[in-house]
Amino acid sequence: MTERQKDRPWLMRTYAGHSTAEASNELYRRNLAKGQTGLSVAFDLPTQTGYDPDHVLARGEVGRVGVPVSHLGDMRRLFQDIPLDQMNTSMTINATAMWLLALYQVVAEEQGADPGKLQGTTQNDIVKEYLSRGTHVFPPGPSLRLTTDMITYTVNRIPKWNPINICSYHLQEAGATPVQEIAYAMSTAIAVLDAVRDSGQVPEERFGDVVARISFFVNAGVRFIEEMCKMRAFGRIWDQVTRERYGIENPKQRRFRYGVQVNSLGLTEAQPENNVQRIVLEMLAVTLSKDARARAVQLPAWNEALGLPRPWDQQWSLRIQQVLAHESDLLEYEDIFAGSHVVEAKVDDLVTESLAEIDRIQQMGGAMAAVESGYLKSELVSSHAVRRARIEGGEEKIVGVNIYETTEPNPLTADLDTAIMTVDPENEARVVAALHEWRDNRDESRATESLTALKKAAAGTENMMEATVECARAGVTTGEWAWALRDVFGEFRAPTGVSSAPVAVAAEAGTPLAAVREKVARTAGDLGVGRLRLLVGKPGLDGHSNGAEQIAVRARDAGFEVVYQGIRLTPEQITDAALAEDVHCVGLSILSGSHAELVPDVLHRLRDAGAPDIPVIAGGIIPQADARALIEAGVAAVFTPKDFGITEIIGRIVDEIRKANKLDPLEVPA
């Protein structure tokens, strides 16, 4: 038998960054030495949302879920001793993508690299930020212009760079069905390509170069067959759209190019060792099929539902990829699913349904119009509510969560405090001090002039990328760049989708929700009020609002009057709203790790305002030690991913309201 030459493996990445540029640089160099073939940079939330570390909204968030990059000096340290002309770097950055790419380009030039040789990707899909992840800054129109300017700049100046990563990844985590994933991502791509075409910045004969640099970032869930077929459907629709709508004749330019991260929010806190087999199965969905194989893969760590993974945990995930690529015979064969009637039938169904949904969105005026109207967000909140109801009802089974829950003691989590990595709470003060030192030592007049030029470009029609690169060279900070554009464009608060979401869980007699509705009604009667009022708050910069939205929807269906103002609120704003609305409970949702600072702040403000009896509930990715500390500080209850029963959580909230108001417990099962 003649041995067939193996295909080249996909790019292997680990999504990483924390604390400081120096600490992240050390982590990157260690991962590269272990065989990682590309970098994937996680930026902290202040960097992603255009705030400097000393801004009030950045408090508690600095260095938590990624690396803080405030200026050129930080970017230099982040990539010190890493030759950028030899790297393929992915940067998860959206609203501030233009700014981070400018910093990256300047650092590469300082290293002596030719920008024309730089390879990598900026995520830069603002639509999914409005829908699921919440790191948007500017309104849809200006955001699309920033993306357009970046694309046209890179096509001419950094031609090997992918200036945008259209993301369906976060849509799945927000509840999207495969059809919604495909349709919403494709509608975003159409909006972006239409904007670039209509800008007139790229000659018609070079539009194929634009299409060829559009990449996608997708989610691989645990439903293996469906996920693999989804990727084949994605490729078929992209080929059709680029050929028919944009007239791209070169099949290489029409190729569907995507990277993948497997489903992080699908990982469980309960029996977290099961996450390893979930990760492997999800990776196979995007690697086994050669005709729809990912160009780059990054895997989460088994313990991400518990907290920040350690370097060893990230190494384990990297080794999963390496074993598949180098030990198995996967890369020696043509597509092993070609000709399967089961696969072809499923792909045909996905293509048909997705094209119908794309047409529906186009009839609304396209993706941006569907964002502004609230249609896309409402559909996702509804889909997510339906899925959560299936899990709670046992129809959708999750091992270790709602089936096979008994377990032996887990040696991996015997000491939870050492099973994850923690960020030094003093780190933020050091980062802020370094920021002030940078500002003190820069050429202030040059920084001011560059910001003035940026605002002039933004107010006019010229491409903003050149002015942004000059801001980077002049020592401007992330917050200053973003505030200059806020002054011109304003800010945007995306629709929450909660008020228009339909009822997803039945409340017929004898159901758990009916029992909770009775508890809510009786408690309201005991307090002499028409309805119980619950404030659901998202303090800080954490934009992952899926959990908060589902709590809000279920509480509404249980009879609560719900106050939910969306993401990105200060503890002061949340406290003011709680007092103004005279709520009976405050529920705070935080997944970014800032709970230790922001939740006690809300407690203190309520006490100072004379409302110490309003119970405060906290939910999110909160380690056990932190949960104990929050309870000791006065939090009434803490819920983490293991508490998957939303109806039960609502029942617990009613119990805490009764306890706070010195009412006897109700003997109504919840």
Side-chain angles (χ1 to χ4, degrees), residues 171 175-185 354 357 376 379-380 383:
L171 302 180
T177 65
V179 167
Q180 288 173 325
E181 278 187 71
I182 296 169
Y184 296 177
S354 298
E357 181 65 11
L376 296 183
E379 290 295 299
L380 287 176
S383 294

Side-chain angles (χ1 to χ4, degrees), residues 84 87-91 97 100-101 104-105 115-123 150-151 154-155 157-164 209-210 212-215 257:
L84 296 186
M87 238 355 82
N88 191 306
T89 304
S90 173
M91 295 192 285
L100 272 295
L101 179 60
Y104 189 88
Q105 176 188 327
K117 295 182 180 179
L118 296 179
Q119 297 185 71
T121 304
T122 30
Q123 193 171 101
M150 264 191 70
I151 291 172
T154 55
V155 165
R157 297 285 299 277
I158 317 177
K160 295 184 178 181
W161 194 267
N162 301 323
I164 187 168
D209 295 335
V210 174
R213 299 321 303 178
I214 302 295
S215 61
R257 301 160 58 251

Side-chain angles (χ1 to χ4, degrees), residues 432-444 475 477 480:
V432 170
L435 169 68
H436 293 166
E437 183 180 358
W438 173 267
R439 287 199 194 118
D440 291 342
N441 293 327
R442 70 183 176 184
D443 183 339
E444 196 63 34
T477 68
E480 291 167 341

